[in-house]
Amino acid sequence: MDWVEKDLKYIWHPCSQMKDYQELPPIIIDHGKGVYLYDKNGKGYIDVVSSWWCNLLGHCNPKINEAIKAQLDKLEHVIFANFSHEPAIKLCEELSKLVPKGLTKFNFSDNGSASVECALKMSFQYQYQTGNARKTRFMCLTEGYHGETIGALSLGSIDLYAKIYKPMLMDAIHIEAPGCYRCSYRKSRDYCNTECFEHAEKVFEQYADQTCAIIVEPLLQGSAGMRIYPALYLKKLRELCDKHNVLLIADEIATGFGRTGKMFAFDYAGVSPDIMCISKGLTGGYMPMAITITTDEIYGAFYADYNEGKAFMHSHTYSGNPLGCSAALAVLNILREDAILENAAKLAQHLSRKLNEALLDHKNIGEIRHIGLINAMELVKDKKDKIDFEPKLRIGYQIYKKALEKGLILRPLGNVLYFNPPLIINEAEIDKAVGICEEAICSVIGG
Ligand SMILES: *Cc1c(COP(=O)(O)O)cnc(C)c1O
């Protein structure tokens, strides 16, 4: 049996209709280098989706490899209750200089969804222990995505992932999210006064007294199709949360570590959340690790004599894994020493210019939106009236398959194609990727 047959015999791949694999079998990746992944036949693929948005500094980055190897011969893992280790301590010290002001306490877990669950339980218990036991519910934005576990899924509003499970989910309060491409106030994203924030105000009036926290993906609703909204929205949300004693949770799992051009998306708003979740870029895409970061004030509400029963009794076996911490420390070193964000800003301009030149005038590209190196192209049947292609046609998926043939990984979000490449991609690689993307689009829908 060859590798593909064996794969399909045993493996149930994530987020896939396995029947699709009959026509498009899994590509068996043998090794990676920089922005390239190579299959068993030596064919290269440019990974502009950063292997689900987590690869920050290229595959097989020599410095991260070194850091993990060095740690591996010292200590692979240790129970993190009552025990600690240098890599975790150093990592939190370094991160504390980079995260939004006021975030000081670090609680480790091992994936993004788990860090969201941690944030939810923390908020709930904080409100309970500060005399607000009535505040038991959560708010979120429509079109949001916060992970796949039951709590996180309850605060996501994308039917594709959540609909079937509705009877299992918490009854969250959904606020209509900014929808800038089809703004119902006829404003443009860059010159609006976030008129749509009135939806949040109305919902807070009605429900804030039952609500312990709201969770948002700051500036970029990733899974919904890289929907970008203005920083002013976050600033207003901060004020509204303060007014109503609702905690503000920033899900920076996708946006953290320079993806939006700044270290964290919240940096654009000039305000801080009460709790922040980070994961994807944290270890450069090497090790499963996440952190829920919060303030002295929230931490303080759990700090008491043991018998008061106020401790946060939440744990994950792999909390604070030393290999993950070493990888993350190497990532922070590289970001600083190689001025990655400064370079990425220049590359971001280059990428946007190239995509605009190649595709902005295409009859089926409704919008090309960008923030940092993230660029998303909204495919529409009718550009003038912004009418979607029928989902059944799976236009995005057809283009994805075409691009794969030509050596580009462009796994779409419905009918949104996007680039979210490792921050170390270079101009030649960008030019090549944009070229393949254009060819793939034109060969499927013409133009
Ligand atoms: C990926 C993602 C998550 C979930 O992280 P997992 O590690 O896949 O559980 C949560 N929120 C956002 C914004 C994400 O992009």
Side-chain angles (χ1 to χ4, degrees), residues 55-58 61 63-64 257-259 261-263 330-348 372-373 421-425:
N55 189 289
L56 198 68
L57 301 169
N61 184 296
K63 290 181 190 165
I64 306 176
F257 300 94
R259 287 295 186 190
K262 292 194 191 273
M263 194 63 179
V331 166
L332 294 184
N333 277 335
I334 297 167
L335 288 178
R336 191 177 51 240
E337 283 168 11
D338 298 352
I340 297 290
L341 266 59
E342 290 81 349
N343 290 328
K346 290 178 207 139
L347 292 162
L373 263 169
L423 304 183
I424 49 87
I425 193 169

Side-chain angles (χ1 to χ4, degrees), residues 361-430:
D361 294 333
H362 189 282
K363 65 182 179 14
N364 299 114
I365 303 280
E367 176 179 67
I368 304 181
R369 45 183 176 262
H370 57 90
I371 184 166
L373 263 169
I374 296 172
N375 276 261
M377 290 159 279
E378 180 106 22
L379 296 166
V380 287
K381 187 167 79 178
D382 180 326
K383 196 161 168 164
K384 190 168 140 284
D385 293 326
K386 303 184 179 177
I387 297 169
D388 281 327
F389 280 107
E390 291 80 29
K392 257 200 285 197
L393 297 174
R394 302 181 80 191
I395 296 290
Y397 184 68
Q398 306 305 331
I399 295 170
Y400 164 60
K401 285 196 291 187
K402 219 8 133 205
L404 267 184
E405 275 171 28
K406 299 172 189 287
L408 177 68
I409 303 178
L410 202 59
R411 198 172 192 274
L413 297 156
N415 285 335
V416 175
L417 297 168
Y418 66 90
F419 283 54
N420 184 8
L423 304 183
I424 49 87
I425 193 169
N426 65 35
E427 289 194 1
E429 289 158 347
I430 286 175

Side-chain angles (χ1 to χ4, degrees), residues 110 125 133 212 217 231 238 251 279 293 313 324 357 391 395 403 414 425:
D110 49 22
Q125 193 171 341
C212 57
E217 290 165 273
R238 176 71 275 176
D251 177 350
S279 182
I293 316 171
M313 298 306 286
E357 280 169 16
I395 296 290
I425 193 169

Side-chain angles (χ1 to χ4, degrees), residues 53 111-114 116 145-148 217 223 251 253-254 279-280:
W53 319 349
N111 67 78
S113 306
V116 168
Y145 179 85
H146 301 287
E148 301 293 349
E217 290 165 273
S223 299
D251 177 350
I253 292 166
S279 182
K280 289 192 167 98

Side-chain angles (χ1 to χ4, degrees), residues 144-160:
Y145 179 85
H146 301 287
E148 301 293 349
T149 48
I150 300 305
L153 200 60
S154 302
L155 302 174
S157 327
I158 302 176
D159 275 353
L160 180 64

Side-chain angles (χ1 to χ4, degrees), residues 235-281:
K235 230 179 144 120
K236 289 188 178 178
L237 188 58
R238 176 71 275 176
E239 281 173 26
L240 195 60
C241 284
D242 287 341
K243 187 171 152 203
H244 292 277
N245 184 25
V246 168
L247 297 181
L248 177 51
I249 304 170
D251 177 350
E252 292 255 9
I253 292 166
T255 48
F257 300 94
R259 287 295 186 190
T260 66
K262 292 194 191 273
M263 194 63 179
F264 296 101
F266 243 87
D267 296 341
Y268 283 98
V271 292
S272 295
D274 299 296
I275 301 179
M276 184 165 101
C277 301
I278 56 175
S279 182
K280 289 192 167 98

